[in-house]
Amino acid sequence: MFPPFSPLRRCPLAGTPSRLPRLLHSRSSSTTPAARAPTTHVAVLWDLAASRPPSTLPLYDAAVRLHLAANSFGRVRLSEAFIHPGHRLPALSPVVTAASVHLCRVCGRRFRARDTLLRHFDAIHAREHTKRLARIDSSRGDRRVRLAAALSLKLSTYEKAARELTAAADLGSLADDLRRARVTVELSRTPSDSLRERAQEVLDEGSIGCLMLVSGRDELVPLLRLAREEKGVRTVVVGGESGPARWADVGFSWAEVVAGKARKAAPSVSGKWRDRDVLKRLEWRYDDDDEVVFTEDGDDDGIELVKKTKGRPWWKLESDGEDSHVCG
């Protein structure tokens, strides 16, 4: 006699509940589209006299938040600011200065005076940094490698905070703040003309897909029209709520950039741009070489429509010659 089949039936049934979630998870993970990182090259050109950041925010922080908004549209390849040599920004309010400038970037403590912050930094964080370096130097072999990897985050945080304090100690102009934010500074007697010339050079090179202009000058309208209609470059205007913003693809105010609204709106705006490009490739276009002829038969059957394309009947392909015929 053959053995009963009940054990054979129970085994796959017992294993099904444990395998089913794995199969569903793999199926759902494979069908879910991966989030694509923006690869469009972005150029940021800033006229500081024509578009000033809010007076309640330091220039360094404003430049950093501007770069965060630009990075949402793609990879920032170029960032330049055009400044008049005698340009000065209004002084910051005391409340914001105490909350932002006198902030310890290591532990997050706030201080009313800058001298108090420096004494705190030297007395606590500088000593801790020295001890960490001494521990790494005294270690050997694999222990040194593991210890350096474990302390790498703290070491980099301290070095970054020390660079900011050192740069702020000898801060003498607006260019220093912008250079700290990795913005190339160009001094010009006519910043608007320099910005327009630089934007024209960038468009002629064809190396970018998105142009962000931080300006409110109406003289940039022809440049925006050139970028959109002829060059196929997306345009973003920051700080120009009047003329330039109406001709750009999208415009943001400084308040939206500082609050992070521009950064949140960038993915949806980029999605609309991609959909528009797809529709342009799919839309029908009229060809001037096509000729449509209406002929009327002798009988009263109606009107016959004949379309001739470049001297050939509409039913013949381009590969067909004049002597082509159907072989039966």
Side-chain angles (χ1 to χ4, degrees), residues 48-49 51-59 86-94 96-97 174 177:
L48 199 62
S51 181
R52 297 181 178 181
S55 59
T56 57
L57 191 69
L59 184 59
H87 181 73
R88 292 292 182 270
L89 288 178
L92 298 175
S93 60
V96 176
T97 303
L174 301 177
D177 272 345

Side-chain angles (χ1 to χ4, degrees), residues 23-299:
L23 294 176
L24 294 178
H25 178 71
S26 61
R27 179 72 60 84
S28 61
S29 61
S30 61
T31 56
T32 303
R36 295 180 298 177
T39 57
T40 305
H41 290 169
V42 182
V44 182
L45 301 179
W46 186 359
D47 183 3
L48 199 62
S51 181
R52 297 181 178 181
S55 59
T56 57
L57 191 69
L59 184 59
Y60 171 79
D61 294 346
V64 170
R65 300 189 186 191
L66 181 65
H67 279 180
L68 290 177
N71 283 324
S72 301
F73 291 98
R75 299 173 58 185
V76 177
R77 183 174 183 178
L78 174 67
S79 179
E80 293 186 9
F82 302 88
I83 307 177
H84 191 275
H87 181 73
R88 292 292 182 270
L89 288 178
L92 298 175
S93 60
V95 177
V96 176
T97 303
S100 58
V101 177
H102 306 312
L103 172 68
C104 181
R105 300 293 182 177
V106 178
C107 62
R109 291 183 59 184
R110 303 179 185 273
F111 299 90
R112 296 181 179 180
R114 175 177 173 77
D115 297 337
T116 309
L117 171 61
L118 294 176
R119 288 196 298 268
H120 160 78
F121 195 85
D122 294 337
I124 298 179
H125 302 301
R127 291 182 180 180
E128 292 177 351
H129 183 71
T130 304
K131 292 179 180 179
R132 294 190 189 100
L133 294 179
R135 289 179 59 189
I136 295 175
D137 293 338
S138 61
S139 303
R140 296 291 183 272
D142 296 340
R143 187 174 183 275
R144 180 189 179 92
V145 175
R146 291 194 299 268
L147 187 61
L151 299 178
S152 61
L153 180 59
K154 295 183 178 180
L155 294 176
S156 61
T157 302
Y158 173 83
E159 292 174 357
K160 183 179 179 180
R163 284 197 302 267
E164 291 185 3
L165 288 177
T166 304
D170 55 355
L171 184 62
S173 63
L174 301 177
D176 296 333
D177 272 345
L178 293 176
R179 292 191 183 99
R180 289 169 54 207
R182 297 184 179 181
V183 179
T184 304
V185 178
E186 181 177 345
L187 300 179
S188 174
R189 294 290 179 180
T190 56
S192 58
D193 296 339
S194 301
L195 183 145
R196 186 167 61 252
E197 294 175 0
R198 183 60 175 136
Q200 186 66 45
E201 294 176 0
V202 171
L203 293 177
D204 293 339
E205 293 174 359
S207 58
I208 62 169
C210 180
L211 178 63
M212 177 178 286
L213 298 179
V214 189
S215 176
R217 302 287 187 183
D218 294 336
E219 294 82 0
L220 298 177
V221 171
L223 184 65
L224 294 172
R225 296 181 60 182
L226 174 66
R228 290 186 57 186
E229 299 174 1
E230 299 184 13
K231 300 296 183 179
V233 176
R234 303 302 181 184
T235 55
V236 182
V237 172
V238 176
E241 291 81 3
S242 56
R246 292 197 298 265
W247 292 97
D249 290 312
V250 63
F252 299 104
S253 63
W254 267 110
E256 294 174 340
V257 173
V258 171
K261 295 181 180 180
R263 185 181 180 184
K264 294 180 180 178
S268 62
V269 173
S270 301
K272 293 179 181 178
W273 290 348
R274 289 192 296 267
D275 296 342
R276 193 181 307 170
D277 294 339
V278 172
L279 292 177
K280 283 185 178 180
R281 290 195 297 266
L282 296 178
E283 68 181 359
W284 179 84
R285 294 184 179 181
Y286 175 73
D287 192 359
D288 295 337
D289 296 333
D290 295 346
E291 181 182 358
V292 181
V293 181
F294 296 91
T295 60
E296 185 175 358
D297 296 338
D299 301 334

Side-chain angles (χ1 to χ4, degrees), residues 5-21:
F5 293 99
S6 56
L8 298 178
R9 295 177 182 175
R10 284 196 296 266
C11 292
L13 291 178
T16 301
S18 61
R19 296 176 183 176
L20 185 58

